[in-house]
Amino acid sequence: MEDLKDTVKKYYIAVDKNDLDTLFSIFADNIVYKRPGYEPIEGMANFKEFYQKNRIIKEGHHTLSNIIASDPYVIVEGEFNGILKDGSKSHTTFVDVYTFSSGKAIKRHTYFDGQSV
């Protein structure tokens, strides 16, 4: 089975490239995603809708500064720089907490220290 740190790194590469097939493959069908400014996103259909339609980010790049893994959890610290759909620039730092089961992320909770995107 792929190392959980590598799985999470693959997510950030996929989201930065807008590679949604790879992105969605990392998460379980029963994913629960909590993110400031949104109601909890529950289930793959709602998760896909968020990334395909509701996410306010047009494009950007994540820089990871720390990844801590202790199965089934992975915690990621990093920063995001990008452009929002309204054309404004975005910079924020974040922490993501993942919970895995059978190699797939079943929970993700994002925390922002700065601008919530």
Side-chain angles (χ1 to χ4, degrees):
M1 179 171 54
E2 186 175 61
D3 177 86
L4 294 181
K5 285 185 179 183
D6 290 337
T7 300
V8 168
K9 288 177 188 176
K10 187 166 73 171
Y11 160 77
Y12 293 101
I13 292 167
V15 75
D16 288 350
K17 290 182 177 181
N18 200 32
D19 177 359
L20 296 182
D21 289 337
T22 299
L23 187 155
F24 297 141
S25 74
I26 294 165
F27 296 88
D29 288 340
N30 62 339
I31 180 64
V32 175
Y33 181 26
K34 294 182 180 179
R35 181 184 185 101
Y38 298 88
E39 292 296 316
I41 300 164
E42 298 183 5
M44 184 56 73
N46 292 326
F47 190 68
K48 285 182 176 182
E49 181 178 9
F50 170 76
Y51 277 97
Q52 293 168 337
K53 297 178 183 175
N54 300 332
R55 188 170 183 248
I56 65 170
I57 297 169
K58 178 180 178 184
E59 61 186 48
H61 178 74
H62 293 83
T63 302
L64 309 182
S65 56
N66 199 8
I67 302 175
I68 302 165
S70 181
D71 195 2
Y73 305 106
V74 179
I75 300 169
V76 179
E77 293 179 283
E79 66 179 271
F80 173 79
N81 288 287
I83 299 173
L84 305 183
K85 289 180 180 175
D86 69 4
S88 62
K89 291 182 180 180
S90 174
H91 169 78
T92 193
T93 55
F94 68 89
V95 171
D96 276 330
V97 179
Y98 297 83
T99 305
F100 282 82
S101 178
S102 301
K104 300 275 188 178
I106 59 170
K107 291 182 185 174
R108 179 178 171 207
H109 196 151
T110 297
Y111 301 88
F112 293 111
D113 185 18
Q115 181 185 26
S116 291
V117 294

